[in-house]
Amino acid sequence: MATAIAVRPISKVAAHDFARDLDLTDDELNYLLELTERVKRAPSKFTRALSGKYISLLFEKPSLRTRLTFELAIKQLGGDSVTCEGPVGAREPLKDVARNLDRWVNGIVARTFSQNTIEELAEWSSAPVINALSDMYHPCQALADVFTLREQFGELRGLKLAFVGDGNNVAHSLMLSAARLGMDFAIATPCGYAPNAEIVSQAEGLAALAGTRLEVTSDPAEALAGAHAVYTDVWASMGHEQEADERRERFSAYQVNESLMSLARPDAVFMHCLPAKRGEEVTDEVMESGRSIVFEQAENRLHAQKALLLMMLG
Ligand code: CP
Ligand code: NVA
């Protein structure tokens, strides 16, 4: 008879939802990184952890990585998912959608245009809601990214992460995660595309507490000086496609190419959440270079989200 493999009990998160990065405490964030490591190393130990659990995936916007890694994570943990594509709350109020879903499923993963949609679902659903990207945050991406950096450098404390480009959802989530893990963070954006002032102020508070540096500038050279990792993302995020031409002009000095990379540390890695627009925010040369860790990031989406699901629903 097969014997059950002993799995150490998983610490649960205190917050009901993962709507924003700061819904995880510092301790929970650190624990999640440890658990991601365990899950990545020994996936077979967790294959029944979500047995009998069902999760609904709501996607208002396209996705390759997030959708597939959530579907795979849920299946590999022994659970199952159902997916709904298209606008959430167009046919009926969000509070009704939330109170339908929570009668059927144990958790909701939602990618929405507006952060308000995530928050309203979270307010009305008794099942936990996980933010799979909104206009304000991409917290699951940031989890995988900091885990990837830890894998690359061994230790996060003392690293400098530089983001060049649009002050967008991905930048916000990275900014909020960096200081809590002891990293300096710098962001260079063209004027008019700076990150949200309220999120910057939150991140400044976290940096002051942690004794790390947060720089917000329009000068890529300033942001890249001393950086261990250079991160960029598309110039026009989903929902801003109509501004793409204007943004291409405004952002041209912010393209991550070999010359920009040379302003960072010689051992600096290149990061991108993907999908990337080669020839715009990054050159093909940098994407394909030995410094690029974009596919490690993509792989780690799976492992980090498994750890998150275990902590929220396991
Ligand atoms: N990085 C990321 O979230 O990719 P998708 O849009 O393909 O999910
Ligand atoms: N900032 C991008 C990230 C895509 C994963 C967007 O919101 O479209």
Side-chain angles (χ1 to χ4, degrees):
M1 204 175 93
T3 48
I5 300 166
V7 177
R8 269 183 279 158
I10 310 274
S11 299
K12 296 293 183 299
V13 291
H16 184 258
D17 305 291
F18 187 49
R20 301 161 176 239
D21 302 81
L22 297 187
D23 285 342
L24 287 187
T25 64
D26 295 2
D27 283 347
E28 287 166 350
L29 178 56
N30 279 298
Y31 176 78
L32 183 135
L33 297 180
E34 299 305 322
L35 185 57
T36 303
E37 178 100 47
R38 277 164 58 194
V39 168
K40 184 171 181 176
R41 252 201 245 136
S44 61
K45 289 199 175 162
F46 300 89
T47 51
R48 298 182 55 76
L50 289 193
S51 179
K53 299 269 166 82
Y54 297 94
I55 294 160
S56 69
L57 308 179
L58 307 181
F59 277 80
E60 288 188 333
K61 305 181 193 178
S63 171
L64 174 71
R65 281 147 290 273
T66 309
R67 180 169 165 177
L68 294 190
T69 52
F70 265 112
E71 284 186 10
L72 287 164
I74 294 162
K75 284 186 203 307
Q76 291 176 14
L77 294 173
D80 209 346
S81 63
V82 285
T83 303
C84 194
E85 287 175 24
V88 184
R91 292 176 64 228
E92 55 193 310
L94 283 168
K95 61 183 181 181
D96 289 358
V97 174
R99 289 176 298 172
N100 275 262
L101 293 177
D102 71 7
R103 298 292 175 114
W104 306 321
V105 296
N106 306 96
I108 299 170
V109 172
R111 167 169 288 195
T112 60
F113 281 97
S114 166
Q115 175 67 18
N116 292 337
T117 306
I118 306 265
E119 311 259 345
E120 203 171 331
L121 287 172
E123 185 187 336
W124 287 94
S125 165
S126 59
V129 174
I130 294 175
N131 182 341
L133 179 147
S134 69
D135 55 343
M136 292 299 276
Y137 304 103
H138 197 357
C140 296
Q141 181 70 51
L143 296 179
D145 293 341
V146 292
F147 178 78
T148 308
L149 276 170
R150 204 177 73 144
E151 275 188 329
Q152 294 292 317
F153 291 96
E155 164 76 65
L156 291 173
R157 202 156 291 282
L159 295 182
K160 177 178 178 183
L161 171 59
F163 188 101
V164 180
D166 186 24
N168 65 14
N169 44 10
V170 173
H172 291 156
S173 285
L174 290 171
M175 184 183 297
L176 290 170
S177 305
R180 302 205 292 153
L181 294 162
M183 285 187 278
D184 293 334
F185 185 85
I187 178 163
T189 69
C191 293
Y193 297 93
N196 177 282
E198 212 174 297
I199 295 176
V200 171
S201 147
Q202 267 183 327
E204 277 168 349
L206 296 168
L209 273 177
T212 60
R213 273 177 65 108
L214 173 66
E215 297 167 74
V216 180
T217 175
S218 57
D219 179 5
E222 197 181 318
L224 290 172
H228 296 80
V230 180
Y231 203 120
T232 192
D233 184 14
V234 288
W235 291 336
S237 283
M238 291 180 278
H240 292 277
E241 290 87 350
Q242 74 289 356
E243 299 166 24
D245 289 342
E246 185 192 339
R247 283 172 178 251
R248 257 191 294 276
E249 276 178 37
R250 301 292 305 278
F251 283 78
S252 60
Y254 295 79
Q255 182 188 67
V256 178
N257 47 35
E258 286 297 342
S259 140
L260 222 67
M261 281 301 290
S262 72
L263 301 174
R265 284 169 55 101
D267 61 347
V269 294
F270 170 72
M271 302 179 79
H272 195 307
C273 56
L274 304 180
K277 279 206 159 37
R278 286 166 161 86
E280 294 195 11
E281 77 274 5
V282 60
T283 56
D284 183 61
E285 199 181 5
V286 169
M287 276 284 286
E288 300 296 338
S289 71
R291 298 169 136 203
S292 172
I293 55 168
V294 299
F295 300 113
E296 278 72 21
Q297 293 173 256
E299 176 186 342
N300 287 332
R301 293 294 304 276
L302 175 69
H303 309 301
Q305 286 160 199
K306 278 169 117 172
L308 180 68
L309 290 166
L310 288 168
M311 289 171 70
M312 295 193 69
L313 302 173

